Amino acid sequence: MMTGHDDPRDDGDNPDIGRRRQDRQKVGLQGRYRRGSGVPKDVWITDLSQTGCRFYDRFGTMKAGTPITLRLGTFGPIPAVVRWWDNQVNGVEFVEPLHISVFEHVCTQLSEKPPAHLDFSRL
């Protein structure tokens, strides 16, 4: 599990990279997000904390500060804000932290092993 303090993208230029409130749990979870009332996009969520997550978006590009709603498997929509984007991988912060029971259920009951090409634990 990566902590916010050893994020290799933290070059000091982006105040949001490398600064997390909680460590993230590695997961493999299908999700879906949308911007406003736009078309929903399927994504693969690779790690999760009560306060945010990281996901792979094959075709999307997003800017920090973009508000979205996100589904974690069957849970959601969850309001969130994009904090960073790097080569099809997004970091988002939830507007309100997930309830501990939801977080634990998602991590233990809904999570699968991510496909090898979507394993971003090195990031």
Side-chain angles (χ1 to χ4, degrees):
M1 181 180 344
M2 182 182 76
T3 66
H5 303 295
D6 60 359
D7 192 326
R9 290 161 298 137
D10 188 6
D11 60 5
D13 290 340
N14 185 333
D16 292 317
I17 290 178
R19 290 164 182 76
R20 292 189 182 88
R21 292 183 203 159
Q22 298 176 331
D23 288 343
R24 291 183 177 170
Q25 178 72 37
K26 187 173 180 178
V27 296
L29 183 63
Q30 291 184 15
R32 177 175 280 190
Y33 80 88
R34 79 170 65 210
R35 294 182 236 185
S37 59
V39 176
K41 293 187 177 184
D42 293 329
V43 296
W44 188 260
I45 298 163
T46 59
D47 57 273
L48 178 70
S49 73
Q50 284 182 260
T51 57
C53 69
R54 174 172 34 189
F55 63 83
Y56 174 79
D57 180 10
R58 184 174 178 189
F59 299 109
T61 59
M62 295 214 263
K63 294 180 181 176
T66 302
I68 64 170
T69 55
L70 180 68
R71 289 191 175 275
L72 306 172
T74 57
F75 290 102
I78 300 164
V81 177
V82 175
R83 293 297 176 207
W84 56 266
W85 176 86
D86 184 21
N87 196 26
Q88 300 172 320
V89 179
N90 296 273
V92 300
E93 181 179 13
F94 304 135
V95 172
E96 295 290 329
L98 297 178
H99 189 277
I100 187 66
S101 63
V102 171
F103 173 73
E104 289 175 352
H105 179 76
V106 169
C107 290
T108 61
Q109 302 297 317
L110 300 181
S111 181
E112 308 168 21
K113 183 176 179 178
H117 71 287
L118 297 180
D119 182 359
F120 297 108
S121 58
R122 68 191 184 285
L123 297 179

